[in-house]
Amino acid sequence: MMDLNELLSQLQSTQQTEATSRLSERNVIDLVNKLKQLGILGDELLYTINGKEYITTDQLKKEVSLALKQSGGRLALVELPALVGCDLLHCERQAAAVVAEGGGEVLEAQGELITVQYFDAIAGEINDLLQEAGQVSLSDLAVQYALNTELMASMLHSRMGGAIQELGLESAALGGSGGGSVVASIVDELVREGALAGSLKGGGVNWVPAVYSTAQRNAVRSFYEQNGWVGYDTAKRMGIPNASSYLRTAFPDGIPLETALVGPSLLSQVRETSSAAASTSSPAAHPAANNSKGGPAGAAAEKGQQAGGSSDDEDWAANAKRGGKGGKGGKSGGKAGKKGGGAGGAKAGKGAAAASGPGSGAGSKGHSIHGGPLPLTMADLEAQVLELRPDLEGVGTTGSTSGEAGGAAQALAALLLPAAVAAYEATLSAAFTTSVEEKRRAKEALAQALDAAYQRLCLYAVGVEEFALAPAESSPADGTVPAPAAASKGGGQGGEDGDEPATKPAKGSGKKAAAAAERAAAAKERRADKAQPTDAQTEGSSIQPGTQQQQHQQQLQQKGGGDKAAETVYAALVRQALRTSGAEAVDALCKWAQVEHDVGAMSDTPTHNQNTTNSNRAANSAAATAQGSSSGGRSSGGQVMDLVKSPPLSPAERGALLRSLPSDAAAALAAALEAMASASTIRDALEALSHAAEVLGLRLKAVDKKQERAVLAQLRAELLGALSSEHDPAAALALVVPLLFMRVTGKAVAVPGKALAAVLARCGSGSSNSGTRASAGSLSPEALSSVEAFHTQVVEHLVLMGGGGRGSTDESRRQASLAESLAQQLPAMKCLAGLGGE
Amino acid sequence: MAETIDKNTKERVGKIPLLTVNAGPRDKEKWEDRLKEELMALINYIRQNKEADMDWFTIEPKNNGLSWQGKCWYIHNLVKYEFDFRFDTPATYPAAAPEIELPELEGKTAKMYRGGKICLTIHFKPLWIRNSPRFGIAHALCLGLAPWLAAEVPYLVEEGAITPKV
């Protein structure tokens, strides 16, 4: 055991040793709070992210700087909290403090802390890259180092010559967004040094070599010197953008016109020519002499003459074409002068007059009467005056020589000349400036008319089947089935001829079978027509007296149920439909083709078969228009829309149209015309019409069920409208019967006079025999009998009116009583047809 | 006893070596051995306290171990309150427990006898009697003075009877 003194000293030393400090977290937090409350620590003490540590702002700033160094000089602020364990807000504050205290050594950009050393390092890398590649895109560098382009550019430019060694074209090598300007500056420098000859245009984008500019100037000057004028279009084609100002600057002595710059030499030439023409006093021989004022208008006119003779002058050709498409075709000067001067020259003269002011109008007019057909020379005008007023011949002449001027006729011609020229030019202008819009409107209107007629014809095609299918029209006695009726049964039976026993099975569909049946019926009808007069005399709603007996016979035949009578009715209905709506449709198609193919030399577009050149056509058109020619003038000028409302084309006009159309179109249209005249069924005519329209470029849509109802309603409204204003019993009957048929069967037919009785009989039989459509209504026996009585009286009245009787007094009284009776029955008939309530 | 002494105190007092020599001041030869064991126990206890950052007293024997004096302190609300203490070794020691005096606190609390002797009758003396002669002065400080300070100093501070010695 130890000595007592040693123990005492050990006790003393043990008590003097420091106790190990073991403070709990709670104690420490309490202590820190206490220190804060006492103001010893202040507010600079921050918590760490985990909440278990305190850190001062100074320490945080040091740690931020340390983290930036450890990361190589570039550190995103968002990475600081993870590195230093403090909130991002405190990190950002201390980062800002680091940047502020860095003295430019540290930058804060794009949410990152970047040191100058980092920039130096990447500048070195870029320098190595430049040495290897020779060119580095600034945008590529920006992407590679994830820096924005501006920062990258500023950094690199500040190190140019330092970290980035000087190269020959180091600025250009650093391409990118500023590359264009760099190139431009380099090129400018080279131009100043004389290494390059040329200039940069278009904001430094386009390089124009000096040789090109020289060649351009030489070409323009050469053209000007050779021709005495330069067109603005010509200069533009030579690559001069602002031709007008360029030419004015390049040739200050020239006279600027609307489309060209004319030199003084040409002007003097025109003046000389004018003087020579004036001295010979022969306007026709020297047309330029009528340019009384000379000046720019005369120069332009003379230019037109010359341009007609120079085949290589495309510029004037363009001008002449714009004026009337007349200046290009001629090879010799005189010929071109006649053709081009008549049309194109007039236009050019007008344009020049507009450009040079009112004072030059006379020159324009004077020019317009030279050359070409010469419709408005003074001599012609004087001759026409004398022709209209022969009494003026010799009046007012003072000299004995016939060539001496001063007569009253000549004075009158001189007085009329300006107005005549103005009218001529207006007509000429109208001939060439027919608006495309007007043409389009005309075509639209014609296409609509064609559609309406086509749809109505489709309706009639359905309506006539009602008669082809009617079993009542068949002849049960002879044991045969009518072809149409057989066809309507879906091909079960059918035949080429209605008289044949229906033993051949129809292979086609129902429609085809129906068409075949129609054709068969039509063939039979044609045979019957040889023996019977056609209903050509009964065209329209008027019933001619000569056909009444025939109609009566037909009625008797129908009453007897004869097969022949049924076929006759069917054929009559078909012919009536084709002669009304079919004719309208084909006429609209012809007019449409006339407008479309510009028959009459109206359009600017070339036609298929016209071998004449545009210039010839234009000249002919101009001449024809000016002379008031009626041939082909219907569709020219402002008369395009008149074509829509004009009466149907005459056979001669149709023939001319067919001759002027392309062969395929002409053939198709001719087929359609033939079909309308002689088709045995409506469907055949419809097919021919549709084919012709398709060849001409129109598509006719077949009428579906919905459209059929709409068209039917429209047709009914039209018939009712016509009926409401009709006071003639015969004409009213022709309207009442289709309306009654429409009411009973829901179908439409175009009823000729001789088929009225048959249609009425069908109305009396009730609904459609085909059973495909429910009848809209049926006629009561009383109503039917009243209509039939009305019909009988109308027939009788017409017979009496046509002199069917002997003209006795009794017949006159009978005629008067019939007229009175018909007039009394007419309102009832109208009411029965659906007008004003039923 | 089990209720009055907490678990931590039990662990600490368990680490203080028990004494083996049953001798008092009147036993001249054996007292020195007893005193050596007392000093070794104190050294051990003080070392434990310092290691556990629970150092709370200093002590020094006087007159060959017949009297003891030193300083004790207690931290309440982060404020250290320090007191002088002393006691004499009883003649019947170790059968009788020493009576520890805090002279400066005399008259300031009811848990004190006349002369500044702290009241250890209820909790400490029965424990001492049961463990005599194995308990020594270190045990008396650990089980007597330390609990008394923990119980009375906050009360005295709240009463305003004592102030910290800055």
Side-chain angles (χ1 to χ4, degrees):
Chain A
M1 186 175 285
M2 295 176 68
D3 187 29
L4 185 61
N5 291 328
E6 288 181 5
L7 286 172
L8 287 172
S9 62
Q10 191 175 354
L11 175 64
Q12 190 69 26
S13 62
T14 301
Q15 291 183 131
Q16 288 177 352
T17 57
E18 285 290 326
T20 303
S21 296
R22 287 200 173 184
L23 296 176
S24 65
E25 289 183 1
R26 182 184 170 187
N27 290 337
V28 172
I29 292 169
D30 288 342
L31 279 171
V32 171
N33 289 339
K34 191 71 179 178
L35 292 170
K36 279 188 169 182
Q37 286 176 3
L38 295 174
I40 297 172
L41 288 177
D43 294 332
E44 294 183 350
L45 200 62
L46 305 173
Y47 295 98
T48 57
I49 291 176
N50 58 17
K52 293 184 177 181
E53 294 172 341
Y54 292 100
I55 186 169
T56 62
T57 53
D58 290 339
Q59 180 63 25
L60 182 59
K61 194 186 304 176
K62 289 177 184 174
E63 290 189 5
V64 168
S65 299
L66 184 62
L68 182 59
K69 284 181 181 175
Q70 287 175 346
S71 64
R74 183 175 180 181
L75 181 62
L77 288 176
V78 291
E79 296 177 5
L80 276 175
L83 293 174
V84 300
C86 198
D87 188 70
L88 179 62
L89 180 66
H90 302 309
C91 292
E92 287 176 345
R93 286 178 183 169
Q94 297 313 310
V98 169
V99 171
E101 296 171 1
E105 291 294 315
V106 182
L107 298 176
E108 183 179 353
Q110 306 175 150
E112 290 178 315
L113 289 175
I114 305 174
T115 62
V116 175
Q117 288 76 17
Y118 174 79
F119 283 134
D120 291 339
I122 65 170
E125 292 178 10
I126 292 170
N127 184 49
D128 294 342
L129 201 61
L130 268 178
Q131 299 294 335
E132 291 177 3
Q135 179 178 0
V136 180
S137 169
L138 195 57
S139 57
D140 291 345
L141 288 177
V143 171
Q144 181 181 347
Y145 291 102
L147 291 171
N148 68 52
T149 310
E150 292 179 0
L151 179 62
M152 178 65 81
S154 66
M155 182 273 290
L156 290 177
H157 283 298
S158 65
R159 284 162 180 77
M160 207 73 76
I164 297 177
Q165 294 176 7
E166 288 284 355
L167 295 177
L169 287 172
E170 74 278 11
S171 298
L174 289 170
S177 60
S181 59
V182 172
V183 171
S185 64
I186 291 172
V187 171
D188 276 342
E189 189 176 348
L190 291 173
V191 169
R192 281 197 301 274
E193 291 173 357
L196 291 177
S199 60
L200 275 173
K201 291 183 177 176
V205 176
N206 296 325
W207 164 252
V208 180
V211 64
Y212 176 80
S213 302
T214 306
Q216 200 176 43
R217 282 196 301 273
N218 290 340
V220 173
R221 181 166 294 281
S222 171
F223 189 94
Y224 180 77
E225 288 172 352
Q226 285 179 6
N227 298 284
W229 60 276
V230 183
Y232 300 145
D233 290 345
T234 305
K236 196 169 285 183
R237 277 199 300 276
M238 290 176 178
I240 297 170
N242 193 359
S244 175
S245 62
Y246 173 81
L247 291 176
R248 286 178 191 174
T249 309
F251 308 110
D253 56 339
I255 300 167
L257 299 180
E258 186 181 13
T259 57
L261 186 84
V262 180
S265 60
L266 191 62
L267 184 61
S268 61
Q269 186 181 351
V270 170
R271 281 177 178 160
E272 289 171 5
T273 309
S274 302
S275 304
S279 63
T280 58
S281 68
S282 174
H286 299 282
N290 281 320
N291 293 322
S292 56
K293 300 292 183 184
E302 183 69 21
K303 182 182 69 175
Q305 268 194 328
Q306 291 189 354
S310 61
S311 59
D312 57 347
D313 184 9
E314 295 180 0
D315 181 64
W316 171 247
N319 286 338
K321 188 177 181 181
R322 189 175 62 183
K325 301 181 177 68
K328 191 178 178 181
K331 290 183 179 178
S332 67
K335 189 176 181 181
K338 287 182 178 179
K339 290 184 177 178
K347 186 74 176 177
K350 187 179 180 184
S356 57
S360 60
S364 165
K365 291 167 185 172
H367 169 71
S368 66
I369 63 172
H370 86 279
L374 303 176
L376 289 177
T377 61
M378 282 285 290
D380 284 349
L381 206 57
E382 183 180 350
Q384 290 187 16
V385 167
L386 289 174
E387 186 179 348
L388 293 172
R389 293 287 303 275
D391 54 324
L392 291 180
E393 189 169 3
V395 177
T397 53
T398 55
S400 58
T401 57
S402 60
E404 185 175 356
Q410 189 175 0
L412 192 58
L415 191 66
L416 292 173
L417 184 62
V421 168
Y424 168 76
E425 288 186 345
T427 310
L428 193 65
S429 175
F432 291 109
T433 57
T434 299
S435 69
V436 178
E437 178 65 21
E438 189 179 6
K439 189 176 169 185
R440 187 188 63 77
R441 285 204 307 270
K443 283 168 64 178
E444 274 186 5
L446 289 169
Q448 286 178 358
L450 174 60
D451 271 339
Y454 181 80
Q455 290 173 351
R456 207 174 303 142
L457 204 56
C458 290
L459 274 189
Y460 291 156
V462 176
V464 297
E465 286 176 3
E466 189 76 13
F467 292 86
L469 302 175
E473 307 302 327
S474 64
S475 177
D478 59 5
T480 59
V481 178
S488 72
K489 292 176 182 175
Q493 291 175 330
E496 292 294 322
D497 196 318
D499 292 337
E500 291 179 8
T503 55
K504 296 179 182 177
K507 294 178 181 178
S509 63
K511 276 188 175 179
K512 289 182 178 177
E518 284 184 22
R519 283 195 295 273
K524 201 164 192 177
E525 192 272 337
R526 277 198 298 274
R527 288 196 297 272
D529 283 350
K530 293 176 182 177
Q532 296 177 1
T534 63
D535 60 344
Q537 294 85 2
T538 63
E539 187 173 2
S541 59
S542 63
I543 302 174
Q544 297 300 322
T547 63
Q548 299 307 312
Q549 191 174 358
Q550 179 188 348
Q551 286 184 358
H552 185 64
Q553 288 175 356
Q554 285 181 354
Q555 288 171 12
L556 291 175
Q557 286 173 356
Q558 284 180 357
K559 285 178 182 176
D563 187 34
K564 213 172 251 185
E567 290 174 2
T568 305
V569 169
Y570 177 80
L573 292 175
V574 168
R575 274 203 304 277
Q576 181 69 10
L578 294 181
R579 288 175 181 179
T580 53
S581 296
E584 288 177 17
V586 78
D587 184 65
L589 186 61
C590 287
K591 289 176 179 175
W592 191 91
Q594 189 172 353
V595 176
E596 170 67 15
H597 290 268
D598 191 20
V599 176
M602 176 196 68
S603 173
D604 291 333
T605 56
T607 59
H608 296 281
N609 278 348
Q610 282 179 323
N611 295 324
T612 55
T613 61
N614 286 340
S615 58
N616 288 339
R617 286 175 52 204
N620 292 337
S621 172
T625 307
Q627 292 169 357
S629 172
S630 60
S631 63
R634 174 176 278 174
S635 62
S636 65
Q639 299 173 348
V640 177
M641 287 304 292
D642 296 343
L643 188 65
V644 179
K645 299 173 184 176
S646 64
L649 296 177
S650 65
E653 288 173 333
R654 287 180 180 174
L657 172 67
L658 290 176
R659 282 192 297 276
S660 61
L661 285 178
S663 58
D664 53 343
L669 195 56
L673 286 165
E674 176 64 23
M676 292 304 154
S678 61
S680 57
T681 65
I682 297 179
R683 294 191 185 279
D684 287 346
L686 285 173
E687 286 179 7
L689 186 65
S690 178
H691 175 67
E694 192 171 346
V695 170
L696 286 168
L698 276 175
R699 182 171 292 276
L700 297 174
K701 291 181 181 176
V703 180
D704 58 12
K705 291 294 179 187
K706 288 182 180 178
Q707 288 177 334
E708 185 179 327
R709 292 186 181 185
V711 175
L712 196 66
Q714 186 181 358
L715 181 60
R716 184 172 184 271
E718 289 175 4
L719 290 175
L720 286 174
L723 181 61
S724 64
S725 59
E726 190 58 63
H727 300 293
D728 180 38
L733 182 66
L735 295 170
V736 166
V737 174
L739 284 168
L740 290 176
F741 182 80
M742 207 179 290
R743 172 182 162 186
V744 172
T745 63
K747 297 177 180 178
V749 286
V751 187
K754 68 177 184 180
L756 285 173
V759 175
L760 268 179
R762 175 53 46 83
C763 292
S765 66
S767 62
S768 169
N769 290 319
S770 63
T772 55
R773 184 191 301 271
S775 61
S778 59
L779 279 178
S780 62
E782 295 79 14
L784 182 63
S785 62
S786 66
V787 178
E788 284 176 346
F790 186 77
H791 175 234
T792 306
Q793 290 179 6
V794 166
V795 171
E796 188 180 356
H797 183 246
L798 289 174
V799 169
L800 291 173
M801 281 179 65
R806 295 181 178 84
S808 62
T809 311
D810 294 340
E811 288 175 352
S812 299
R813 281 202 295 271
R814 173 65 180 163
Q815 184 179 348
S817 66
L818 279 175
E820 188 178 353
S821 172
L822 288 172
Q824 288 175 354
Q825 293 178 50
L826 188 58
M829 290 298 110
K830 288 184 178 180
C831 185
L832 198 62
L835 196 64
E838 298 182 16
Chain B
M1 183 64 196
E3 293 82 13
T4 55
I5 299 175
D6 61 89
K7 185 181 177 181
N8 292 334
T9 304
K10 275 186 179 179
E11 286 180 0
R12 280 193 291 272
V13 81
K15 293 177 182 178
I16 300 173
L18 294 173
L19 305 184
T20 56
V21 179
N22 187 8
R26 291 180 294 187
D27 301 323
K28 291 182 180 177
E29 292 180 358
K30 288 188 176 178
W31 169 242
E32 188 172 346
D33 294 338
R34 173 75 185 196
L35 184 59
K36 288 180 181 175
E37 284 187 343
E38 291 285 355
L39 290 174
M40 290 174 65
L42 282 170
I43 291 169
N44 187 282
Y45 179 49
I46 290 170
R47 189 174 293 154
Q48 286 184 38
N49 285 343
K50 286 188 180 290
E51 289 175 357
D53 195 16
M54 297 288 290
D55 193 22
W56 63 278
F57 72 95
T58 58
I59 192 169
E60 185 181 1
K62 299 287 183 186
N63 196 13
N64 196 23
L66 294 180
S67 63
W68 299 78
Q69 63 179 16
K71 290 181 180 296
C72 64
W73 59 89
Y74 185 82
I75 296 174
H76 175 67
N77 285 339
L78 304 176
V79 180
K80 185 178 181 180
Y81 297 91
E82 190 178 66
F83 311 101
D84 292 331
F85 73 92
R86 63 168 298 278
F87 59 90
D88 294 330
T89 305
T92 57
Y93 184 87
E99 292 179 342
I100 302 169
E101 299 175 17
L102 296 174
E104 55 190 305
L105 296 181
E106 185 180 2
K108 293 183 178 178
T109 174
K111 301 294 180 64
M112 186 173 278
Y113 298 109
R114 189 174 295 169
K117 295 176 182 175
I118 64 173
C119 177
L120 300 173
T121 307
I122 299 174
H123 302 294
F124 176 69
K125 285 194 175 174
L127 184 64
W128 179 271
I129 291 170
R130 281 203 300 273
N131 289 285
S132 178
R134 288 170 295 183
F135 275 8
I137 294 171
H139 294 90
L141 293 174
C142 180
L143 296 173
L145 181 58
W148 191 91
L149 288 173
E152 291 301 317
V153 170
Y155 170 75
L156 292 171
V157 172
E158 289 178 6
E159 289 294 321
I162 57 175
T163 55
K165 296 177 180 176
V166 180

